[in-house]
Structures are given as structure tokens and as C-alpha cells.
Amino acid sequence: MCCRYYIGKSSEMQEIVSDMMRSSFVSKWNEHYTVKSYGEMSPTDIVPVIASNRNRQRTVFPMKWGFTGKTLLMNARVETAAVKPTFRDAWKSHRCIIPASNYFEWEHLIGNNGKKKTGDKYSIRPHDSNITWLCGLYRFEADLPFFVINLRRKTHRLACGMKAA
């Protein structure tokens, strides 16, 4: 499952970050947290995310990674997001796109003792682009936007239901 990704300083990404910095949510988040623009992104970081605004125009917002609850939820499985109470409303009307330079996956191994462990960390990105687009769902918690990354279970591929403009 995707639990880390990276944002590099390409010209396309700099434009996205610049758009995010004009959002009124930046000052709200910065009261207690730091909005991240570049580097390795982890759950609970506040990062650039693209979603529709109230006028249905694509806009870049700073959003916090992870829905809060009993535990932090970082990812939503596309196979069950539409029916799980935690994701159902976001699935219907709050889809988003998370711009990244690449994302990371770890090798999953079974140790000599039979316990699961992680191996090497792999960076995944398109070979012909500076940006890969991660798909997600978002919701508001205490009037601030939070997102999760949307994945397919069996292949762990990112899955997005947004339509191209």
C-alpha cells in the first residue's frame, strides 16, 4: 500500500505548489502545522492536492494525508470504498488527484522466523513524465480538508474515478 511519495522541483510541480500557496487553507493549516511543498511526503503531512472548488473548477488545495478515527487511515481500497461508511460520502462526491514525482513501495518478505518484514524500498514513476498522478478521496474534518489515496487491493495499483476535462 502506498504510504510514502515524493514531490520534486520540476517546473510543472512548481506551478502546482504555487497555485496551492494561494489557497486560503494555507494560513489555516499554518496556525498549527507546516504545509509541505517538496520532498518525501508521509501520512499526516499537509500537501498539494487537486480537487474541484465550489464552482466546479480544478483548484489546488493543501490537504492533510489521512482520515482520522480510531486509527489513521491513509488509503482506501477502490473495491470497497463505495460501501464502507468511512469512505462512502467521499466516494460519491469528493474525489481528488495528488500530484507526485514518484511513489514508493516496499518489498514484502517473510523472515526465517515466519514473520512478515519489509525489504528494499522501490521508487515508482512514469518513465516519460516528471509527474505521476495519485488518485484519492477527501473530506472535511473541523473545516479543513483531509485525503486518502485510492488503491486497488489485489494489484495495489492506484485507482481513480475522476474524469478528464
Side-chain angles (χ1 to χ4, degrees):
M1 302 292 268
C2 185
C3 60
R4 296 276 191 286
Y5 67 93
Y6 184 82
I7 295 179
K9 291 188 177 184
S10 68
S11 59
E12 298 96 340
M13 204 61 84
Q14 288 177 336
E15 185 177 329
I16 290 168
V17 168
S18 178
D19 288 348
M20 175 190 69
M21 296 309 289
R22 288 191 285 275
S23 171
S24 62
F25 285 109
V26 170
S27 61
K28 291 178 183 179
W29 280 120
N30 278 334
E31 289 176 15
H32 301 285
Y33 303 97
T34 300
V35 175
K36 284 185 73 173
S37 302
Y38 301 103
E40 189 167 327
M41 305 301 169
S42 304
T44 72
D45 285 344
I46 298 149
V47 300
V49 176
I50 301 169
S52 296
N53 65 16
R54 289 184 179 137
N55 299 323
R56 299 191 181 271
Q57 298 168 324
R58 275 191 206 153
T59 306
V60 184
F61 297 96
M63 293 191 192
K64 190 170 185 178
W65 186 2
F67 285 3
T68 56
K70 291 179 186 175
T71 62
L72 181 69
L73 299 172
M74 304 174 296
N75 300 310
R77 292 187 173 146
V78 69
E79 295 87 353
T80 58
V83 296
K84 294 249 178 171
T86 303
F87 306 116
R88 187 174 28 228
D89 290 340
W91 178 262
K92 290 177 186 173
S93 60
H94 289 107
R95 301 201 187 181
C96 59
I97 299 173
I98 303 99
S101 300
N102 56 278
Y103 64 97
F104 301 107
E105 291 290 344
W106 282 261
E107 185 176 25
H108 298 279
L109 305 169
I110 303 292
N112 293 335
N113 60 2
K115 293 185 178 181
K116 293 179 182 179
K117 65 179 188 173
T118 56
D120 292 335
K121 178 179 173 182
Y122 294 95
S123 173
I124 301 167
R125 71 174 189 87
H127 72 282
D128 60 348
S129 177
N130 290 326
I131 298 180
T132 186
W133 304 99
L134 310 179
C135 303
L137 306 173
Y138 72 95
R139 71 180 184 192
F140 284 85
E141 298 177 17
D143 297 324
L144 290 168
F146 289 70
F147 77 96
V148 294
I149 294 175
N150 206 16
L151 300 159
R152 291 195 183 280
R153 180 179 182 194
K154 292 188 179 187
T155 61
H156 292 223
R157 289 189 185 144
L158 298 162
C160 188
M162 293 188 78
K163 295 179 181 169

